[in-house]
Amino acid sequence: MKVLLVGQGYVGLPVSMAAVDAGFHVTGFDTDVNKTGTLAAGGSHVEDIAPSTVRAALDSGRYRAVSSAVELDDFDVAVITVPTPLTDGAPDLGAVEAAAAMVGGLLRTGGLVVLESTTWPGTTTEVVGPILEAKSGLRAGIDFHLGYSPERIDPGNRTWRLENTPKVVGGIDQRSTDAVAAFYGAFVDTVVPVGSTEVAELTKLLENTFRHVNIALVNELAMFAHDLDIDIGDAVTAAATKPFGFMSFRPGPGVGGHCLPIDPTYLSWRVRRRLGTSFRFVELANDVNDHMPDYVVRRIQAGLNDRELAVRGRNVLLCGLAYKADTSDARETPTRAIVAGLLSLGARVTVADPHVPLEQFPDGVEVVEHDPQALEQAARTTDAVVVLVPHGDFDLEAIVTAAPWVLDCTSAAPAAANVERL
């Protein structure tokens, strides 16, 4: 069976490798020639996928990576895993539409097309389906199968991976749902069929909106608790001892990655566009989380003021550029906004992150080389250290010992007299 995987990023590449391992013949397509070039040479740009895995897939003869549509041929299954960003605050489905048009030109009777890109409920039937029909001359649900399955890839998670994370699947009809379930069932332990593509699309947005709203709740509580001189971390730890009715979320410097800063807005946009009303929880959560970097900057400023130091001209070391620990994923990272805020106040900013490539670091900052001794020395010679991402590579005990003052935005640094928690 031949599979066309459109998009070879954090989502598409793991699906490609799993499908190859299950015996499918996979063509991985991506418009980024650097990605496909790396893959074709047996390398990997995704930390969760080892180069040896890509090399084994190539050596099996069941995988190839291409960036030109002329290199594509027909398929049995096509999976679309392309980005769905926001443009001017509104969903941008340009990549999905382009992918659907390309796939539609190759679609044959009996084929299956699955959308995995996160989007608003109704995209599969209202956007992707009509494009496929127009390009192929075939009818969805009659001549070909069409479905949606939300991605649940968590970069850096060593416990929950593609194969053991339950896979939600939904089709435009029962035959399509069965076809989607059969495909993913070949390499995912548990498949969860739902009644429609809209339910599957909403499932993904519900998961991320739940996290987004609860992170906003604890972030706002953290601000109030600080003003009330209460340790929010201790309160969360205590609440987490309740064995029912509570789920622990920790405050942080904001939200990053593709999911939380973007996905809930897809849902609120759809609600406003379709129903003419606002999704107040999402809009409030956006407001709180979007302003957390500003709050972090204010806390840095206040901490320096307490030590009779002005921000202007002071050295501030930020530990962590990625949006989450132990990954190189710096998409929508709140660190960039914190850097911008500090630079606007005249601070000299240094950033350390052993995972993120140098070319992704913001302009105007110094970079600490990937060496524990260099990071400890940078902490010793700075005026403030801010822990933004608790990478396992960071020796936080050594950093705290060396630094004059630490603002810990992660609740990961050891308690000490010079440590202040968010």
Side-chain angles (χ1 to χ4, degrees), residues 48 152-166 189-190 324:
D48 290 346
R152 282 174 163 173
I153 298 294
D154 185 18
N157 194 323
R158 300 292 180 246
T159 301
W160 293 105
R161 303 178 60 82
L162 173 65
E163 62 272 14
N164 66 346
T165 300
D189 296 342
T190 304
K324 65 173 293 187

PDB file of all heavy atoms in Angstrom, residues 48 152-166 189-190 324:
ATOM      1  N   ASP A  48      12.746  13.776  18.052  1.00  0.00           N
ATOM      2  CA  ASP A  48      12.139  12.503  18.447  1.00  0.00           C
ATOM      3  C   ASP A  48      12.430  11.374  17.456  1.00  0.00           C
ATOM      4  O   ASP A  48      12.160  10.205  17.758  1.00  0.00           O
ATOM      5  CB  ASP A  48      10.626  12.663  18.592  1.00  0.00           C
ATOM      6  CG  ASP A  48      10.250  13.508  19.794  1.00  0.00           C
ATOM      7  OD1 ASP A  48      11.120  13.738  20.647  1.00  0.00           O
ATOM      8  OD2 ASP A  48       9.091  13.943  19.881  1.00  0.00           O
ATOM      9  N   ARG A 152      -1.540  14.157  17.974  1.00  0.00           N
ATOM     10  CA  ARG A 152      -1.323  14.274  19.414  1.00  0.00           C
ATOM     11  C   ARG A 152       0.154  14.128  19.742  1.00  0.00           C
ATOM     12  O   ARG A 152       0.523  13.622  20.796  1.00  0.00           O
ATOM     13  CB  ARG A 152      -2.127  13.204  20.157  1.00  0.00           C
ATOM     14  CG  ARG A 152      -3.621  13.526  20.293  1.00  0.00           C
ATOM     15  CD  ARG A 152      -4.365  12.367  20.906  1.00  0.00           C
ATOM     16  NE  ARG A 152      -5.677  12.778  21.422  1.00  0.00           N
ATOM     17  CZ  ARG A 152      -6.585  11.923  21.890  1.00  0.00           C
ATOM     18  NH1 ARG A 152      -6.318  10.619  21.910  1.00  0.00           N
ATOM     19  NH2 ARG A 152      -7.749  12.368  22.339  1.00  0.00           N
ATOM     20  N   ILE A 153       1.001  14.574  18.819  1.00  0.00           N
ATOM     21  CA  ILE A 153       2.435  14.480  19.026  1.00  0.00           C
ATOM     22  C   ILE A 153       2.852  15.462  20.113  1.00  0.00           C
ATOM     23  O   ILE A 153       2.499  16.641  20.085  1.00  0.00           O
ATOM     24  CB  ILE A 153       3.203  14.793  17.719  1.00  0.00           C
ATOM     25  CG1 ILE A 153       2.838  13.773  16.626  1.00  0.00           C
ATOM     26  CG2 ILE A 153       4.705  14.812  17.962  1.00  0.00           C
ATOM     27  CD1 ILE A 153       3.292  12.366  16.911  1.00  0.00           C
ATOM     28  N   ASP A 154       3.616  14.980  21.080  1.00  0.00           N
ATOM     29  CA  ASP A 154       4.142  15.815  22.157  1.00  0.00           C
ATOM     30  C   ASP A 154       5.663  15.762  22.082  1.00  0.00           C
ATOM     31  O   ASP A 154       6.281  14.846  22.625  1.00  0.00           O
ATOM     32  CB  ASP A 154       3.644  15.301  23.511  1.00  0.00           C
ATOM     33  CG  ASP A 154       4.070  16.200  24.667  1.00  0.00           C
ATOM     34  OD1 ASP A 154       4.428  17.361  24.408  1.00  0.00           O
ATOM     35  OD2 ASP A 154       4.030  15.740  25.825  1.00  0.00           O
ATOM     36  N   PRO A 155       6.297  16.734  21.409  1.00  0.00           N
ATOM     37  CA  PRO A 155       7.756  16.679  21.233  1.00  0.00           C
ATOM     38  C   PRO A 155       8.489  16.526  22.552  1.00  0.00           C
ATOM     39  O   PRO A 155       8.190  17.190  23.542  1.00  0.00           O
ATOM     40  CB  PRO A 155       8.070  18.044  20.592  1.00  0.00           C
ATOM     41  CG  PRO A 155       6.819  18.435  19.891  1.00  0.00           C
ATOM     42  CD  PRO A 155       5.711  17.933  20.773  1.00  0.00           C
ATOM     43  N   GLY A 156       9.438  15.613  22.563  1.00  0.00           N
ATOM     44  CA  GLY A 156      10.250  15.402  23.749  1.00  0.00           C
ATOM     45  C   GLY A 156       9.674  14.443  24.766  1.00  0.00           C
ATOM     46  O   GLY A 156      10.352  14.097  25.738  1.00  0.00           O
ATOM     47  N   ASN A 157       8.445  13.995  24.572  1.00  0.00           N
ATOM     48  CA  ASN A 157       7.813  13.080  25.522  1.00  0.00           C
ATOM     49  C   ASN A 157       8.305  11.664  25.257  1.00  0.00           C
ATOM     50  O   ASN A 157       8.027  11.093  24.197  1.00  0.00           O
ATOM     51  CB  ASN A 157       6.291  13.154  25.395  1.00  0.00           C
ATOM     52  CG  ASN A 157       5.576  12.496  26.565  1.00  0.00           C
ATOM     53  OD1 ASN A 157       6.018  11.474  27.091  1.00  0.00           O
ATOM     54  ND2 ASN A 157       4.459  13.082  26.976  1.00  0.00           N
ATOM     55  N   ARG A 158       9.022  11.105  26.216  1.00  0.00           N
ATOM     56  CA  ARG A 158       9.594   9.765  26.032  1.00  0.00           C
ATOM     57  C   ARG A 158       8.621   8.664  26.454  1.00  0.00           C
ATOM     58  O   ARG A 158       8.865   7.487  26.200  1.00  0.00           O
ATOM     59  CB  ARG A 158      10.885   9.644  26.850  1.00  0.00           C
ATOM     60  CG  ARG A 158      11.958  10.653  26.440  1.00  0.00           C
ATOM     61  CD  ARG A 158      12.484  10.350  25.051  1.00  0.00           C
ATOM     62  NE  ARG A 158      13.504  11.315  24.656  1.00  0.00           N
ATOM     63  CZ  ARG A 158      13.368  12.183  23.674  1.00  0.00           C
ATOM     64  NH1 ARG A 158      12.230  12.218  22.995  1.00  0.00           N
ATOM     65  NH2 ARG A 158      14.338  13.008  23.357  1.00  0.00           N
ATOM     66  N   THR A 159       7.528   9.027  27.109  1.00  0.00           N
ATOM     67  CA  THR A 159       6.561   8.033  27.575  1.00  0.00           C
ATOM     68  C   THR A 159       5.429   7.853  26.582  1.00  0.00           C
ATOM     69  O   THR A 159       5.115   6.729  26.162  1.00  0.00           O
ATOM     70  CB  THR A 159       5.989   8.452  28.952  1.00  0.00           C
ATOM     71  OG1 THR A 159       7.057   8.568  29.895  1.00  0.00           O
ATOM     72  CG2 THR A 159       4.983   7.423  29.446  1.00  0.00           C
ATOM     73  N   TRP A 160       4.800   8.963  26.193  1.00  0.00           N
ATOM     74  CA  TRP A 160       3.665   8.895  25.287  1.00  0.00           C
ATOM     75  C   TRP A 160       4.112   9.293  23.887  1.00  0.00           C
ATOM     76  O   TRP A 160       4.386  10.450  23.609  1.00  0.00           O
ATOM     77  CB  TRP A 160       2.530   9.794  25.783  1.00  0.00           C
ATOM     78  CG  TRP A 160       1.942   9.298  27.062  1.00  0.00           C
ATOM     79  CD1 TRP A 160       2.117   9.807  28.305  1.00  0.00           C
ATOM     80  CD2 TRP A 160       1.102   8.152  27.217  1.00  0.00           C
ATOM     81  NE1 TRP A 160       1.444   9.059  29.239  1.00  0.00           N
ATOM     82  CE2 TRP A 160       0.800   8.034  28.602  1.00  0.00           C
ATOM     83  CE3 TRP A 160       0.562   7.206  26.326  1.00  0.00           C
ATOM     84  CZ2 TRP A 160      -0.005   7.021  29.104  1.00  0.00           C
ATOM     85  CZ3 TRP A 160      -0.243   6.197  26.838  1.00  0.00           C
ATOM     86  CH2 TRP A 160      -0.514   6.112  28.212  1.00  0.00           C
ATOM     87  N   ARG A 161       4.195   8.299  23.041  1.00  0.00           N
ATOM     88  CA  ARG A 161       4.655   8.493  21.678  1.00  0.00           C
ATOM     89  C   ARG A 161       3.506   8.174  20.720  1.00  0.00           C
ATOM     90  O   ARG A 161       2.404   7.812  21.140  1.00  0.00           O
ATOM     91  CB  ARG A 161       5.879   7.620  21.398  1.00  0.00           C
ATOM     92  CG  ARG A 161       7.036   7.901  22.374  1.00  0.00           C
ATOM     93  CD  ARG A 161       8.226   6.999  22.130  1.00  0.00           C
ATOM     94  NE  ARG A 161       8.772   7.161  20.788  1.00  0.00           N
ATOM     95  CZ  ARG A 161       9.607   8.138  20.434  1.00  0.00           C
ATOM     96  NH1 ARG A 161      10.000   9.036  21.338  1.00  0.00           N
ATOM     97  NH2 ARG A 161      10.069   8.217  19.210  1.00  0.00           N
ATOM     98  N   LEU A 162       3.753   8.298  19.439  1.00  0.00           N
ATOM     99  CA  LEU A 162       2.698   8.085  18.448  1.00  0.00           C
ATOM    100  C   LEU A 162       2.038   6.730  18.613  1.00  0.00           C
ATOM    101  O   LEU A 162       0.801   6.620  18.616  1.00  0.00           O
ATOM    102  CB  LEU A 162       3.273   8.218  17.032  1.00  0.00           C
ATOM    103  CG  LEU A 162       2.339   7.863  15.872  1.00  0.00           C
ATOM    104  CD1 LEU A 162       1.160   8.830  15.815  1.00  0.00           C
ATOM    105  CD2 LEU A 162       3.094   7.860  14.551  1.00  0.00           C
ATOM    106  N   GLU A 163       2.827   5.697  18.780  1.00  0.00           N
ATOM    107  CA  GLU A 163       2.274   4.338  18.744  1.00  0.00           C
ATOM    108  C   GLU A 163       1.435   3.989  19.970  1.00  0.00           C
ATOM    109  O   GLU A 163       0.531   3.151  19.872  1.00  0.00           O
ATOM    110  CB  GLU A 163       3.403   3.304  18.576  1.00  0.00           C
ATOM    111  CG  GLU A 163       4.419   3.274  19.697  1.00  0.00           C
ATOM    112  CD  GLU A 163       5.567   4.240  19.479  1.00  0.00           C
ATOM    113  OE1 GLU A 163       5.467   5.129  18.607  1.00  0.00           O
ATOM    114  OE2 GLU A 163       6.586   4.103  20.203  1.00  0.00           O
ATOM    115  N   ASN A 164       1.693   4.609  21.138  1.00  0.00           N
ATOM    116  CA  ASN A 164       0.924   4.233  22.330  1.00  0.00           C
ATOM    117  C   ASN A 164      -0.021   5.334  22.803  1.00  0.00           C
ATOM    118  O   ASN A 164      -0.637   5.200  23.863  1.00  0.00           O
ATOM    119  CB  ASN A 164       1.854   3.803  23.467  1.00  0.00           C
ATOM    120  CG  ASN A 164       2.713   4.937  23.996  1.00  0.00           C
ATOM    121  OD1 ASN A 164       2.822   5.973  23.378  1.00  0.00           O
ATOM    122  ND2 ASN A 164       3.337   4.718  25.144  1.00  0.00           N
ATOM    123  N   THR A 165      -0.156   6.399  22.032  1.00  0.00           N
ATOM    124  CA  THR A 165      -1.142   7.439  22.338  1.00  0.00           C
ATOM    125  C   THR A 165      -2.413   7.143  21.542  1.00  0.00           C
ATOM    126  O   THR A 165      -2.359   7.027  20.310  1.00  0.00           O
ATOM    127  CB  THR A 165      -0.614   8.832  21.943  1.00  0.00           C
ATOM    128  OG1 THR A 165       0.586   9.106  22.676  1.00  0.00           O
ATOM    129  CG2 THR A 165      -1.649   9.901  22.260  1.00  0.00           C
ATOM    130  N   PRO A 166      -3.553   6.969  22.208  1.00  0.00           N
ATOM    131  CA  PRO A 166      -4.791   6.663  21.476  1.00  0.00           C
ATOM    132  C   PRO A 166      -5.050   7.660  20.353  1.00  0.00           C
ATOM    133  O   PRO A 166      -4.869   8.864  20.521  1.00  0.00           O
ATOM    134  CB  PRO A 166      -5.863   6.744  22.570  1.00  0.00           C
ATOM    135  CG  PRO A 166      -5.134   6.386  23.824  1.00  0.00           C
ATOM    136  CD  PRO A 166      -3.763   6.988  23.673  1.00  0.00           C
ATOM    137  N   ASP A 189      -1.504   1.611  18.779  1.00  0.00           N
ATOM    138  CA  ASP A 189      -2.074   0.568  19.633  1.00  0.00           C
ATOM    139  C   ASP A 189      -3.589   0.687  19.781  1.00  0.00           C
ATOM    140  O   ASP A 189      -4.306  -0.315  19.749  1.00  0.00           O
ATOM    141  CB  ASP A 189      -1.435   0.616  21.026  1.00  0.00           C
ATOM    142  CG  ASP A 189       0.055   0.305  20.997  1.00  0.00           C
ATOM    143  OD1 ASP A 189       0.520  -0.268  19.992  1.00  0.00           O
ATOM    144  OD2 ASP A 189       0.750   0.649  21.973  1.00  0.00           O
ATOM    145  N   THR A 190      -4.081   1.915  19.974  1.00  0.00           N
ATOM    146  CA  THR A 190      -5.504   2.117  20.250  1.00  0.00           C
ATOM    147  C   THR A 190      -6.077   3.167  19.313  1.00  0.00           C
ATOM    148  O   THR A 190      -5.558   4.287  19.246  1.00  0.00           O
ATOM    149  CB  THR A 190      -5.722   2.580  21.708  1.00  0.00           C
ATOM    150  OG1 THR A 190      -5.128   1.635  22.603  1.00  0.00           O
ATOM    151  CG2 THR A 190      -7.198   2.726  22.019  1.00  0.00           C
ATOM    152  N   LYS A 324       9.386  24.395  25.416  1.00  0.00           N
ATOM    153  CA  LYS A 324       9.211  23.368  26.444  1.00  0.00           C
ATOM    154  C   LYS A 324      10.530  22.661  26.669  1.00  0.00           C
ATOM    155  O   LYS A 324      11.449  22.728  25.839  1.00  0.00           O
ATOM    156  CB  LYS A 324       8.114  22.369  26.068  1.00  0.00           C
ATOM    157  CG  LYS A 324       8.415  21.521  24.851  1.00  0.00           C
ATOM    158  CD  LYS A 324       7.359  20.449  24.641  1.00  0.00           C
ATOM    159  CE  LYS A 324       7.401  19.432  25.752  1.00  0.00           C
ATOM    160  NZ  LYS A 324       6.503  18.287  25.501  1.00  0.00           N
TER     161      LYS A 324
END
